[in-house]
Amino acid sequence: MTTPPPLQPPGRALHPRECQTGGMSPSPRFRAVLADFAAYQPGRTPVSSAGKSHKLSSNESPFTPLPSVVEAIAEAARSVNQYPDNDAKALIAAIAERFGVPRGHVAVGCGSVGVTQQLLEAVGEPGAEIIYAWRSFEAYPTLADLAAAESVRVPLRDETHDLAAMAAAITPRTRLIFVCNPNNPTGTVVRDTELEAFLDLVPPDCLVVLDEAYHEYVRDAAVPDGVTLYRDRPNLAVLRTFSKAYGLAGLRTGFMIAHEPVAAAVRATQLPFTVNRIAQAAAIASLAAEVELLERVELTVKERTRVREALIADGWTVPPTEANFVWLRLGEHTAAFAAACELEGIAVRPFVPEGARITIGDVDANDALLTVAHAFPYRT
C-alpha cells in the first residue's frame, strides 16, 4: 500500500526539507555554540526591607555626570533624529589630541567590550586560539566563542596574571592575548618590568591587547601606561573606556589605541553607527572636563583604601587592588555572602564558587557593605 503524501496547507507547496520530516516544519537552525551559551548577566539592584539599595555589582562611578557634560548631552539630544557620524571624527580627534597619538591609531566602539568584540571578529576563525588569564573579564570567553576561536585559559597565580605561564601557552595558532591590567575581577596588576619581558616573548604576528578599562584608578607607579608602551610595539593594542572613571556607563563608549593596521581592522569590523550621537558628544565633553573628573576618581581611590583596610582589620584577606573594586575569594561561601548582601539591599558580583567582586561606591554604600561583611560568619 502506497503511503499518501502529507497534507499540504492550501496554496503552499511543501519544501523538500518538510517532506523529509513528514510535513513537520523543522525549527530554524542556529550555531552549535549557542546551545551552551551563557549570555551576559548584568548586575541588578535588590531593595532591603528598609527600602534602601546599593548597586555595587557593575563597577559604575557613584558620581553623576558633571554639569558641562550634562549640557553637552542635552544639546546633542536635539538632533537624535539624525544618524551620528559613523567615523566619529570629532571624538577620535579629541582622543588623539588627549593622548598624543595619530588619529589613524584610534578606533572606537560600544564600550571597551564592543571594541573587544570587533578585535575578536578581526582575528577569530576556526583553529585560532585566544589566550587570557582566568578568572579575568567575563566577556572574553563568550566573545571568543562567538568569533569561532578557541579559548586558552591560564589560571591566575596569587590572584594576578601568570605571565610566564601565558607565554608558555603560546602556539603557532595563537592570534590574540588579553592582559587585563588591572585585572577584572581581582583588581591586581602586572608591573612594567614583567609586562615588557612578557611582550618580548610574544611573536610579532600575535596581537597583545592590554585591557586598561580601570587605568584611571591606578596609583602604583610601577604599573605601565599602555599608551606609552604601544608606541614601539606594533603588535600591542590598548583598550580604554568612558564607562568607569568618566562616568558614562549608560552611553557605552570605548576606544582602542594601536598602530594603523590594527586600528583599521577594528574599524572594519565596527557595526555602523555603533557610537551614538549623544555618546560622542558626552565623551568629548568629558575629555574637556578631565581635571574635574579625575578629582572625583581620587575620592573613589581614597574610599577604596578605606574599605580594603577595614576588611583586612576585620579578618578578611583582600588582595591589593588598583581598580574601583575589591575582590573576596569566598570559595564555597560565595553565594551565601551575595545573599547576605542582598538581604540588606546590596548588590555585589558573585562568581560562584570562586568569590565576589564589590564595587567601591559612595560612603553610605561602602559602610553598608562593611556592616554585612563584619556580620558574615566566614572569612577568607
Side-chain angles (χ1 to χ4, degrees):
M1 180 185 230
T2 304
T3 302
L7 295 175
Q8 303 180 34
R12 186 176 80 84
L14 286 179
H15 190 278
R17 288 183 186 168
E18 293 178 282
C19 294
Q20 295 170 7
T21 57
M24 298 296 293
S25 297
S27 298
R29 295 182 295 174
F30 301 100
R31 292 175 56 195
V33 70
L34 295 182
D36 299 312
F37 191 73
Y40 182 82
Q41 298 295 321
R44 63 191 188 89
T45 308
V47 178
S48 72
S49 57
K52 295 182 179 180
S53 64
H54 301 289
K55 187 181 179 187
L56 303 180
S57 55
S58 297
N59 295 343
E60 297 156 333
S61 169
F63 304 106
T64 57
L66 291 168
S68 60
V69 178
V70 172
E71 184 177 340
I73 290 171
E75 181 59 32
R78 297 176 183 275
S79 52
V80 293
N81 59 304
Q82 301 172 350
Y83 286 111
D85 175 12
N86 189 55
D87 297 321
K89 295 185 186 70
L91 174 56
I92 285 177
I95 293 169
E97 181 179 359
R98 161 63 182 83
F99 293 98
V101 300
R103 297 183 185 185
H105 287 200
V106 181
V108 297
C110 181
S112 58
V113 68
V115 182
T116 296
Q117 183 175 30
Q118 292 164 231
L119 278 163
L120 289 171
E121 288 178 352
V123 304
E125 58 188 1
E129 292 179 345
I130 309 298
I131 294 176
Y132 48 86
W134 197 251
R135 178 171 287 274
S136 192
F137 182 36
E138 61 195 290
Y140 295 156
T142 53
L143 294 181
D145 287 349
L146 288 176
E150 179 180 338
S151 287
V152 178
R153 302 184 185 186
V154 178
L156 297 173
R157 180 171 52 84
D158 297 330
E159 303 289 18
T160 193
H161 288 64
D162 186 344
L163 292 181
M166 292 177 74
I170 297 172
T171 74
R173 295 197 293 145
T174 305
R175 300 289 292 275
L176 184 149
I177 304 170
F178 286 110
V179 178
C180 190
N181 203 36
N183 184 47
N184 178 9
T186 61
T188 55
V189 293
V190 295
R191 295 177 174 83
D192 44 18
T193 303
E194 57 184 327
L195 180 59
E196 292 197 60
F198 167 75
L199 293 173
D200 289 342
L201 297 173
V202 178
D205 63 347
C206 178
L207 182 64
V208 178
V209 178
L210 191 57
D211 188 342
E212 296 186 333
Y214 301 94
H215 179 77
E216 292 82 6
Y217 298 99
V218 172
R219 294 299 178 269
D220 184 340
V223 176
D225 182 336
V227 178
T228 300
L229 273 183
Y230 103 97
R231 298 176 191 272
D232 298 322
R233 296 183 181 273
N235 68 328
L236 179 63
V238 182
L239 295 182
R240 299 279 180 90
T241 182
F242 286 95
S243 295
K244 311 304 182 186
Y246 290 90
L248 299 181
L251 290 177
R252 312 302 301 123
T253 308
F255 62 97
M256 181 194 73
I257 295 177
H259 286 262
E260 175 61 32
V262 182
V266 168
R267 288 193 291 269
T269 55
Q270 178 182 331
L271 187 70
F273 308 114
T274 250
V275 184
N276 68 60
R277 179 180 291 271
I278 294 176
Q280 291 186 38
I284 292 169
S286 293
L287 285 172
E290 193 172 51
V291 173
E292 294 176 84
L293 284 167
L294 293 183
E295 289 175 355
R296 294 177 163 191
V297 170
E298 194 60 40
L299 296 175
T300 297
V301 170
K302 290 178 180 178
E303 275 295 285
R304 175 184 75 192
T305 300
R306 182 179 76 88
V307 169
R308 179 171 181 264
E309 289 179 350
L311 287 168
I312 291 173
D314 205 17
W316 291 89
T317 298
V318 189
T321 174
E322 293 291 329
N324 68 334
F325 52 83
V326 294
W327 169 252
L328 298 181
R329 176 69 67 171
L330 288 150
E332 63 180 343
H333 306 299
T334 299
F337 180 81
C341 289
E342 185 165 337
L343 285 174
E344 299 302 322
I346 303 168
V348 299
R349 190 67 157 186
F351 296 98
V352 179
E354 297 163 79
R357 188 195 68 199
I358 306 163
T359 306
I360 301 300
D362 59 26
V363 173
D364 288 345
N366 299 333
D367 285 345
L369 180 279
L370 290 173
T371 298
V372 173
H374 178 74
F376 196 68
Y378 304 101
R379 296 287 186 273
T380 56

